[in-house]
Amino acid sequence: MPLPKDAPLVELLSRHVPADAKEREDLERMRTFAVELGSPFSRSQAHAHFTGSAVVVDPAGERVALVHHAKLKRWLQPGGHADEADGGHMATTALREAQEETGCQVRLHPSAPRPLDVDIHRIPARKEEPEHLHLDVRYLVIADNPEALAHDPNESFGIQWLPWTQAIERADEAPLRRLLEKARAAASHTQ
């Protein structure tokens, strides 16, 4: 059964303002998926499902945490699949994933747009799942205890605090650079 028109995801996506043509196209596709997928947050949706991720910054907004993702072998922001307990609230998913993947206590940045960014990216096939799309809703969050930074060896090869310039240089695709540029601009505002 399709999501009701007043569901949190549909409303959230209706408010988001894209920054470029790629994000605009992804947002339109995500709006369609939000109403057409029977279970938009479930991995059982073989073709596509919604995920949440977060750019995690230190309290001063001067450093960003990037995770060396084990399955994708890329430096990325923390994030992952929605859980049933998240209740369809993508900010809840992003916060939970950020805390799990960094070991830090995190909270939404008070003045950043919510969401900060959206992106659709293809996940390659693995033995247990076919190639599919992640419909990623992205937030800016603050780590209140950056000294606690630690990675889960089951999820990643490592995690690092990086200055913005170095993090953006490490970004290997335009949508990730766009996300980090947006996050840097938003993090510079009063927290």
Side-chain angles (χ1 to χ4, degrees):
M1 172 196 275
L3 220 56
K5 296 285 186 210
D6 61 345
L9 177 62
V10 173
E11 200 274 324
L12 180 76
L13 294 174
S14 73
R15 294 190 321 253
H16 184 65
V17 178
D20 61 22
K22 161 84 164 87
E23 189 178 14
R24 188 172 13 270
E25 179 184 322
D26 287 352
L27 178 60
E28 287 308 313
R29 290 175 66 201
M30 290 169 82
R31 287 173 175 161
T32 300
F33 277 123
V35 295
E36 290 181 354
L37 290 174
S39 299
F41 309 108
S42 174
R43 294 175 84 165
S44 69
Q45 300 288 268
H47 175 62
H49 46 262
F50 281 84
T51 58
S53 68
V55 175
V56 180
V57 298
D58 66 7
E62 295 172 354
R63 299 178 301 162
V64 60
L66 288 184
V67 175
H68 194 199
H69 197 282
K71 291 179 184 171
L72 299 175
K73 297 178 178 52
R74 298 175 54 211
W75 287 95
L76 299 169
Q77 76 279 10
H81 295 96
D83 282 351
E84 191 74 29
D86 299 341
H89 296 279
M90 299 313 301
T92 302
T93 299
L95 286 166
R96 178 181 46 73
E97 287 288 335
Q99 186 165 332
E100 287 174 4
E101 293 189 26
T102 66
C104 297
Q105 294 297 316
V106 296
R107 60 186 163 89
L108 291 171
H109 188 283
S111 61
R114 296 180 188 171
L116 181 64
D117 189 80
V118 298
D119 181 64
I120 297 178
H121 48 272
R122 192 165 302 283
I123 301 299
R126 292 190 293 272
K127 55 186 162 213
E128 69 277 1
E129 29 180 45
E131 178 179 273
H132 61 281
L133 300 175
H134 276 185
L135 313 170
D136 199 31
V137 182
R138 301 160 156 191
Y139 293 83
L140 179 60
V141 305
I142 300 167
D144 287 325
N145 58 337
E147 69 285 350
L149 190 71
H151 80 285
D152 176 351
N154 296 318
E155 295 281 331
S156 65
F157 296 129
I159 189 167
Q160 291 181 335
W161 284 116
L162 300 168
W164 286 106
T165 303
Q166 191 176 350
I168 291 166
E169 286 171 0
R170 200 170 279 185
D172 61 358
E173 64 177 9
L176 181 54
R177 285 189 295 277
R178 177 190 70 221
L179 171 63
L180 292 173
E181 290 288 1
K182 283 185 184 181
R184 176 168 58 179
S188 68
H189 292 102
T190 306
Q191 299 177 31

